[in-house]
Amino acid sequence: MKPARSIAYLVGFLSALTIAANLTVAFKMTPFSQIEKSYQVEDILVGSKWIASAPIVLASNFNDVSVKNVGIRTENGFGFSDQILSVWGNGKVDTANDPIDLRNSAALNELLLNTKYETDTYCREYLRDCTLALVWDATAKPAGAEFIGVRVSDSGYALVEAGLLKKFGGVNR
Amino acid sequence: MTLELVMMLAIALGSIGFAKLLRIESIWFAFSAGLVGVLTLRSLTFLAMYPLGLGSVSKWVFVAGCLLFFGLGIFFQRDNLLRYSLLPIAIALFSIFTTRIVGLSYTGQTDSRWILVVVRQLQQNGDLGIFNDLNALKRGFIYPLTLALGESQEFLTSFTPYAFAALCSTGVAIAQILLRGYSRSTILLSTVGIVVTLFTTSMWLRATVYINSHVAAGLLLAVVAMVSLRAIEKKRLETNDYLLLLCTLFLLGQVRAEGIVVGLIALLPLASQQFISRKQLITFLITPATSFAVWLVVYNNLGFHATKLPAVLFILLLAAIAVVPAIKWFDWLRYRSVTIVAGGSLLALLAITALYPPSMLKGWNALFENLVLSMGRWGFVFVLIAVLLLISISKSYSAGHKLLMKILILLVPIFMLSKTLDDVGGARGLGRTGWGDSLNRMWIHIMVLLAVTAAVAVANKLQPEIVRGKSNEKD
């Protein structure tokens, strides 16, 4: 057999083998894991529960958002992007104070019944393993949009609308 | 969807016009070169109008510019218009069909989502200074800027598959040049296997609709390779190729944070040629540096703010620094730059591995798992390419083939080095196992060049007399 012909057979064999392996052993990831229902950027980001989507939800539901007690995300706080809040609306994020610790509050479970959105968030050393709930009372649409950061579990945080937080007895601001 | 259709047709028509103006003969290369021209137009119109508060109007100026390109193109070069128009228009319509009708997309990754946030801000002509950090800089500029041409509060969904097709098209154009003279059976044998293999990998299929700047970066690097190839074959850089190269370098300065460095390194095999004039060399350096500086000034003032300089002075300063390597004293280095940079970057990688053994060894292991064990979702395409290159080792390679190999030898360690610098806190690693690792995704940039290099190597092995013949012709 001529060397060129043997190379041709070898190339054909190797290609066929690789294609077979790609389609069987290796093809574990669906390339298009998403069939988009909407091309609205907001729907995509909020719908996918992106780690930085909480500001979008707040800005979409309230005009002027003020977020307090976020803390520093690499210390005792959690991630909440003021950049994204500015893109979707007006608002301020105050990271000066840590979240209020409500882990031992008796009213916590009842308070969290008002959760409207929940997503993962950054916390501690840039870990993504914390959760962030957005909590407000939809029946009594609050006039202002002041949200207070609270700690609800070891790895869970919530941003609670200030009026609702105040309404709950036993919750000490 | 109407705006999507209008914009994609404008891009296609503008591409046709630009390629016609540059008198590009290959329909495959005309497609990608045209897109480079159109993207340059998009960047320039936005950058000129955004500081005047007219950022959102700039898209209509862009459409007008595309139509002007088309008008001028057919006015000066009417011949074969249909032949040149077919590919861009068909791909534009097919791209709209795949994303808007079938609904294919991939936005399930952090980078994609950040890019969509930037798109939203660009669309509403918002203050881009709010992205004043590394987070936004890493996501690049020209890609989100083009996506922002889409419907209000949406994005130009079909641009990514269109750019992907342009990337593949450049690969076809490069292969056409390098496989000239080979028999049809050799061409089929050397290309079909590798192309089919590539399209059976999840990563490559995902790249067709994946919202990230990788495909755009790959397109620009492939165009640099193609222009270099044409110049090295002709032993001169013709004016049309020179203009196209300047547009490509301009975009490389804005496509990704490392684009300016990667672009100039990919250009080294051409820039180190004796036939490149000093004037050309100076413009090669000034163009991406100015483009990068303008991006920083207009969009992401990360480096700009720190200097506290007036914008014009900042741009001039960066351009002046960029020109330094063009000084005659450095010519000795320039002619040997490929060896120096390739050797230097390999040594740097080894040094970093020795300095940070735990994280770097973990990174090397991740690289092995991603590329060889298919954890990076590349299937076994890298294994196939490596084996094909090994069994096709030859005594003689064509000048063009050597050029591609040089570009790859330069880019691979540079990608790895850029990854080691990516982690906050200095040189720490080569990434992690999994498709989402940024180094793993960066292979998209050179995949077409890798595939063509392997295919040409196989063809060379099957018909070695072709390369020998080409060498004799030159002698």
Side-chain angles (χ1 to χ4, degrees):
Chain A
M1 198 186 285
K2 283 181 180 174
R5 182 166 287 187
S6 58
I7 290 283
Y9 282 129
L10 185 61
V11 169
F13 171 73
L14 288 172
S15 303
L17 189 69
T18 314
I19 292 163
N22 278 359
L23 291 173
T24 52
V25 185
F27 210 86
K28 289 174 187 161
M29 179 178 83
T30 317
F32 325 109
S33 64
Q34 241 161 304
I35 299 292
E36 298 291 359
K37 301 284 185 298
S38 163
Y39 286 97
Q40 292 275 326
V41 169
E42 191 174 312
D43 290 349
I44 292 170
L45 300 182
V46 173
S48 63
K49 301 223 165 178
W50 178 35
I51 200 154
S53 57
I56 304 174
V57 177
L58 285 190
S60 307
N61 283 281
F62 301 94
N63 282 335
D64 240 324
V65 183
S66 164
V67 178
K68 292 178 178 168
N69 295 80
V70 170
I72 309 294
R73 73 176 184 181
T74 51
E75 293 167 13
N76 295 318
F78 56 91
F80 187 88
S81 168
D82 55 344
Q83 289 181 351
I84 293 177
L85 188 64
S86 322
V87 173
W88 260 264
N90 293 319
K92 320 183 274 227
V93 180
D94 184 357
T95 56
N97 298 308
D98 283 343
I100 300 166
D101 195 344
L102 292 187
R103 280 177 288 186
N104 297 319
S105 166
L108 182 62
N109 286 341
E110 203 184 334
L111 176 71
L112 291 179
L113 287 176
N114 291 290
T115 298
K116 298 292 177 296
Y117 186 75
E118 194 170 17
T119 180
D120 291 338
T121 191
Y122 291 104
C123 59
R124 296 186 289 275
E125 287 298 316
Y126 291 92
L127 292 175
R128 299 171 180 217
D129 56 359
C130 289
T131 57
L132 175 64
L134 300 181
V135 186
W136 72 86
D137 183 356
T139 54
K141 185 91 173 175
E146 190 185 356
F147 282 80
I148 311 292
V150 296
R151 189 161 190 179
V152 295
S153 69
D154 288 349
S155 59
Y157 297 87
L159 277 171
V160 185
E161 190 272 314
L164 183 68
L165 189 64
K166 206 171 180 179
K167 213 170 81 179
F168 272 80
V171 175
N172 196 357
R173 282 187 66 193
Chain B
M1 198 163 89
T2 316
L3 188 66
E4 179 106 8
L5 187 66
V6 169
M7 287 299 168
M8 288 311 294
L9 286 178
I11 288 174
L13 293 176
S15 294
I16 297 161
F18 188 78
K20 280 258 152 216
L21 285 171
L22 289 186
R23 295 169 189 263
I24 290 168
E25 318 84 39
S26 157
I27 53 163
W28 301 102
F29 190 46
F31 177 34
S32 47
L35 183 56
V36 167
V38 162
L39 292 179
T40 309
L41 178 70
R42 171 61 176 148
S43 173
L44 289 175
T45 48
F46 181 84
L47 290 172
M49 297 180 75
Y50 174 75
L52 306 172
L54 299 169
S56 32
V57 184
S58 71
K59 71 177 168 193
W60 296 113
V61 177
F62 163 74
V63 171
C66 286
L67 295 177
L68 184 68
F69 271 170
F70 184 67
L72 290 173
I74 56 171
F75 182 76
F76 289 110
Q77 284 285 310
R78 197 168 302 170
D79 50 313
N80 289 325
L81 182 66
L82 188 67
R83 205 169 136 252
Y84 281 87
S85 307
L86 213 57
L87 191 61
I89 292 176
I91 296 287
L93 295 176
F94 185 69
S95 300
I96 294 171
F97 174 77
T98 52
T99 57
R100 289 283 165 163
I101 312 291
V102 182
L104 297 184
S105 184
Y106 191 79
T107 55
Q109 202 248 344
T110 300
D111 281 2
S112 312
R113 290 157 180 175
W114 267 109
I115 285 170
L116 292 180
V117 172
V118 176
V119 167
R120 162 104 179 189
Q121 188 72 336
L122 286 165
Q123 278 193 339
Q124 58 196 16
N125 210 21
D127 174 17
L128 297 175
I130 66 161
F131 298 115
N132 184 20
D133 62 14
L134 201 62
N135 203 12
L137 186 79
K138 279 167 70 177
R139 270 86 198 181
F141 179 56
I142 187 62
Y143 180 70
L145 190 63
T146 311
L147 293 190
L149 289 168
E151 308 270 356
S152 173
Q153 300 187 16
E154 296 187 5
F155 62 101
L156 194 65
T157 58
S158 33
F159 173 69
T160 307
Y162 186 88
F164 179 85
L167 167 62
C168 294
S169 182
T170 320
V172 175
I174 294 172
Q176 263 185 340
I177 292 181
L178 293 178
L179 293 174
R180 201 183 295 141
Y182 289 94
S183 71
R184 185 166 289 187
S185 57
T186 298
I187 293 173
L188 281 175
L189 260 169
S190 56
T191 55
V192 170
I194 199 152
V195 170
V196 177
T197 304
L198 194 51
F199 278 92
T200 54
T201 67
S202 308
M203 266 307 272
W204 195 242
L205 289 175
R206 176 165 289 180
T208 58
V209 288
Y210 172 38
I211 300 302
N212 210 324
S213 54
H214 298 298
V215 163
L219 168 69
L220 298 173
L221 289 176
V223 172
V224 168
M226 178 66 178
V227 172
S228 304
L229 186 60
R230 282 157 67 102
I232 280 177
E233 287 234 319
K234 293 173 187 165
K235 297 221 178 295
R236 67 177 187 280
L237 183 61
E238 291 187 339
T239 311
N240 54 353
D241 280 345
Y242 175 55
L243 287 175
L244 176 61
L245 189 55
L246 291 186
C247 289
T248 312
L249 290 171
F250 177 85
L251 293 174
L252 274 162
Q254 297 181 353
V255 73
R256 290 172 65 85
E258 78 280 5
I260 180 171
V261 175
V262 169
L264 288 174
I265 284 174
L267 190 65
L268 281 181
L270 175 66
S272 59
Q273 299 294 318
Q274 302 266 5
F275 64 78
I276 294 297
S277 70
R278 195 160 310 283
K279 194 179 88 185
Q280 286 172 333
L281 189 64
I282 289 170
T283 50
F284 290 164
L285 293 163
I286 279 187
T287 306
T290 311
S291 156
F292 184 66
V294 171
W295 169 25
L296 290 189
V297 167
V298 174
Y299 165 65
N300 190 313
N301 41 19
L302 180 76
F304 169 55
H305 257 189
T307 63
K308 295 191 169 110
L309 289 171
V312 177
L313 194 61
F314 177 78
I315 295 168
L316 288 175
L317 190 71
L318 270 197
I321 293 169
V323 172
V324 172
I327 296 172
K328 202 172 186 316
W329 299 338
F330 295 112
D331 277 358
W332 186 89
L333 284 173
R334 170 160 73 101
Y335 299 138
R336 292 158 184 81
S337 55
V338 173
T339 316
I340 293 169
V341 173
S345 49
L346 281 172
L347 281 176
L349 263 179
L350 290 176
I352 293 169
T353 306
L355 285 171
Y356 301 89
S359 57
M360 282 298 283
L361 290 177
K362 208 172 144 191
W364 282 106
N365 184 54
L367 195 66
F368 177 80
E369 288 182 335
N370 284 341
L371 302 188
V372 181
L373 304 182
S374 182
M375 307 291 268
R377 304 302 180 226
W378 280 107
F380 299 100
V381 74
F382 280 93
V383 179
L384 179 69
I385 287 173
V387 172
L388 292 182
L389 286 172
L390 274 177
I391 62 171
S392 306
I393 285 175
S394 166
K395 281 179 188 164
S396 56
Y397 294 99
S398 68
H401 198 193
K402 278 185 201 160
L403 171 91
L404 276 199
M405 288 195 266
K406 280 180 191 170
I407 292 176
L408 289 170
I409 288 167
L410 285 164
L411 288 182
V412 170
I414 288 298
F415 286 170
M416 291 163 75
L417 274 179
S418 72
K419 178 65 188 174
T420 63
L421 300 171
D422 182 35
D423 289 326
V424 180
R428 288 199 302 187
L430 277 175
R432 58 196 156 83
T433 305
W435 82 270
D437 171 57
S438 63
L439 180 61
N440 185 62
R441 288 182 279 119
M442 279 168 83
W443 303 124
I444 294 173
H445 303 184
I446 53 164
M447 186 43 78
V448 161
L449 298 181
L450 264 175
V452 174
T453 306
V456 177
V458 171
N460 185 19
K461 196 71 180 175
L462 292 172
Q463 267 186 284
E465 66 277 10
I466 303 291
V467 170
R468 282 202 292 268
K470 282 181 183 173
S471 311
N472 291 340
E473 272 171 34
K474 273 167 199 156
D475 296 340

